[in-house]
Amino acid sequence: MTAIAETALHDAIERQAHNRALVRGWLYVVLLVLFALVVVGGATRLTESGLSITEWKPVLGVLPPLTEAAWQAELEKYRQIPEYQLINKGMSLDDFKTIYWWEWSHRLLARGVGVVFALPLAFFWLTGRLEGHLKPKLVGLLALGGLQGAVGWWMVASGLVDRTDVSQYRLATHLTIACIIFAATMVVARGLAPHTAAPSKDGTRTFALVLMLLVLVQIYLGGLVAGLDAGLAYNTWPLMDGAIVPGDLLIQQPWWINFFENPKTVQFVHRTGGYVLFAAALWHMIQARRDEPGTTHARRALVFFHLVLVQAAIGIATLLFQVQIGWALLHQAFALVVLGFAAAHWRGTRGSYPAETGVLVRS
């Protein structure tokens, strides 16, 4: 290779590293906004504020009511739905404003995520800072975000007629898609980071992926628990209704419906999912430290196990304190921490994305 070619290759590598750092920094900002969005969404659910805005206005809905007449109009719309008529009848305007602001903030953050993602994406794309393999990944994330907005309204709509709350199926779906977006964003961001360690062995890498998927399943189960208010009953641990395996878990017919609509069964399955995740994280830690001692992969497996341990303790406390809002929000927020670390760990077992500047090398 000539000196000129070596200089060109060096400059290209430096330029790619700089661009990767910029894109990675942007994605970390997106992750912070997503984190806030999910936590505020949890608060909206826990304060029973999610049905306070009965219309979906993606553009005009950015502005809240600005006059007393506008507030009265919003309250009148809320008075038409079953939640008001059967649960909150007689609610004052001030009380309505409290739940309205939670839902409005949640929707504003959702729009904010779209802006924080779409505008920098366009900038990086148009200025040539995106590698070719990143473009379909990032466009896919943007499309998934758009779908999530539609799913959010689909969820709210389920509580506007014939129900006083939203469907637990739709709530769990909405939460899980948000978490998939969060995890996928983390995977891309960590793929752009420099990794000093070589990729892990196949067994470690495969199990890291399984752990990330188990966390997502557990979050989905948590969404069902939240949708059914299943955490408000059977607030003891380790026993549930006086037994390790309580009775009447399959009392509804057909039997499979219990896993989605029987609050006792849904809570029991969520507990069991926690035990499975704990055991899997423990085994992964042992396996990684045995097969790859002293590596960053083994150290991350150790950290992940301790994160799962902390999350389990928070979940038990949330249950014992009968889903007090502070504990419940901490449980949801820390679930994202566990998921984000699981995603970063899995990407770390694979290493950084291959450098596109390698094509500049000439024999």
Side-chain angles (χ1 to χ4, degrees):
M1 180 182 294
T2 66
I4 295 176
E6 288 182 353
T7 300
L9 177 59
H10 175 75
D11 290 345
I13 292 173
E14 289 292 319
R15 185 166 56 251
Q16 178 175 270
H18 177 67
N19 288 338
R20 283 190 170 191
L22 290 175
V23 174
R24 186 170 73 252
W26 158 56
L27 292 177
Y28 286 150
V29 172
V30 172
L31 285 168
L32 286 175
V33 182
L34 283 169
F35 184 88
L37 174 62
V38 174
V39 173
V40 171
T44 301
R45 169 63 186 168
L46 289 163
T47 57
E48 299 183 350
S49 305
L51 297 178
S52 57
I53 302 179
T54 61
E55 296 175 319
W56 188 31
K57 298 179 179 179
V59 178
L60 296 179
V62 172
L63 292 176
L66 300 176
T67 65
E68 191 70 12
W71 276 112
Q72 290 292 347
E74 289 298 317
L75 177 56
E76 185 57 35
K77 294 173 186 175
Y78 180 63
R79 286 172 174 160
Q80 307 308 310
I81 69 171
E83 182 180 76
Y84 174 84
Q85 296 165 1
L86 299 176
I87 297 177
N88 292 330
K89 195 170 184 66
M91 172 180 276
S92 68
L93 180 59
D94 285 341
D95 289 338
F96 173 71
K97 287 181 179 180
T98 298
I99 63 173
Y100 185 97
W101 282 121
W102 275 116
E103 175 64 7
W104 181 83
S105 299
H106 183 54
R107 297 192 186 194
L108 183 67
L109 273 171
R111 295 181 176 96
V113 170
V115 173
V116 170
F117 195 95
L119 294 185
L121 173 61
F123 170 77
F124 287 128
W125 193 310
L126 295 174
T127 57
R129 288 176 167 85
L130 290 181
E131 299 164 37
H133 68 94
L134 289 178
K135 294 177 180 179
K137 295 180 178 72
L138 296 174
V139 170
L141 282 173
L142 183 63
L144 196 56
L147 173 65
Q148 173 71 333
V151 170
W153 173 247
W154 175 64
M155 176 190 69
V156 170
S158 68
L160 299 180
V161 180
D162 300 328
R163 293 179 63 114
T164 59
D165 56 4
V166 300
S167 162
Q168 73 273 20
Y169 295 101
R170 301 187 187 189
L171 173 65
T173 300
H174 187 53
L175 174 62
T176 305
I177 292 176
C179 290
I180 289 173
I181 294 171
F182 185 85
T185 304
M186 178 65 79
V187 168
V188 175
R190 295 309 299 161
L192 293 171
H195 293 266
T196 56
S200 71
K201 295 181 178 179
D202 289 345
T204 302
R205 181 163 56 252
T206 300
F207 212 103
L209 175 60
V210 169
L211 286 172
M212 183 178 68
L213 296 176
L214 282 175
V215 175
L216 280 170
V217 170
Q218 183 68 347
I219 287 173
Y220 175 80
L221 295 172
L224 292 177
V225 170
L228 290 169
D229 291 325
L232 296 175
Y234 311 108
N235 299 106
T236 58
W237 186 86
L239 300 183
M240 180 178 176
D241 199 19
I244 294 294
V245 180
D248 296 332
L249 292 178
L250 301 178
I251 196 171
Q252 297 182 18
Q253 295 298 325
W255 64 268
W256 56 266
I257 207 74
N258 289 276
F259 294 95
F260 302 96
E261 298 187 7
N262 183 340
K264 177 186 276 190
T265 308
V266 168
Q267 189 193 121
F268 177 74
V269 172
H270 187 51
R271 290 188 185 209
T272 304
Y275 301 146
V276 170
L277 179 58
F278 177 85
L282 176 60
W283 172 250
H284 180 62
M285 178 188 69
I286 295 171
Q287 170 260 325
R289 290 170 67 84
R290 180 195 63 199
D291 294 349
E292 306 187 59
T295 65
T296 57
H297 310 304
R299 288 191 287 272
R300 284 196 310 270
L302 177 65
V303 172
F304 180 75
F305 170 72
H306 283 94
L307 290 176
V308 171
L309 183 63
V310 171
Q311 175 67 342
I314 295 171
I316 292 168
T318 302
L319 185 68
L320 296 179
F321 289 115
Q322 299 182 328
V323 198
Q324 291 180 9
I325 187 169
W327 282 105
L329 282 179
L330 180 61
H331 189 46
Q332 180 163 319
F334 208 79
L336 276 183
V337 173
V338 174
L339 175 63
F341 192 88
H345 175 44
W346 174 60
R347 182 65 238 186
T349 63
R350 302 177 66 190
S352 305
Y353 291 128
E356 287 197 340
T357 53
V359 299
L360 296 178
V361 178
R362 297 289 186 267
S363 57

